[in-house]
Amino acid sequence: ATTSTNGGLCYASCSADESGQEVCKFTTKVNLYAGELGYYQFEECGDDVNPTLGMEVGKTYQFIQTDRSNYYHPLGFAYFPDGAHADADELESSIVPPGSSSECDKNMTC
């Protein structure tokens, strides 16, 4: 399993599964004392709060939320820090990424 932080990005811990396919894992916990509503931390990213996750197209990712701090804290992805809490768009199939000219919202493939 390998984990690294490079250029401000945090990368998952990746290893091959039984079939030889690479599976990458991020292990989450909520730091309730970081910010008004708490912020996510990832075991693979050290003490960074709300890190920028580095992900590669074509890899399988798992987000492990077994830590008790995750209770009632669903994980969501956003284009900007604080996502929906800051009235910013989250990653959804019907929302065109900021600055994109894509028409992916028409067929829900964003």
Side-chain angles (χ1 to χ4, degrees), residues 21 25 37 43 45 56 60 71 91 106:
Q21 180 180 344
K25 296 180 181 184
L37 301 170
E43 197 173 282
C45 307
E56 295 179 48
T60 299
Y71 189 68
L91 277 71
K106 292 181 177 35

Side-chain angles (χ1 to χ4, degrees), residues 66-109:
T66 55
D67 188 272
R68 294 179 70 198
S69 65
N70 288 291
Y71 189 68
Y72 274 99
H73 289 86
L75 186 62
F77 296 93
Y79 292 107
F80 301 101
D82 288 330
H85 295 297
D87 213 17
D89 286 338
E90 294 188 323
L91 277 71
E92 294 184 23
S93 60
S94 63
I95 298 177
V96 176
S100 173
S101 61
S102 174
E103 294 186 5
C104 58
D105 57 329
K106 292 181 177 35
N107 60 3
M108 303 280 284
T109 61

Side-chain angles (χ1 to χ4, degrees), residues 12-29:
S13 174
C14 300
S15 59
D17 66 10
E18 309 82 43
S19 67
Q21 180 180 344
E22 189 170 33
V23 177
C24 302
K25 296 180 181 184
F26 284 107
T27 309
T28 68
K29 62 182 177 180

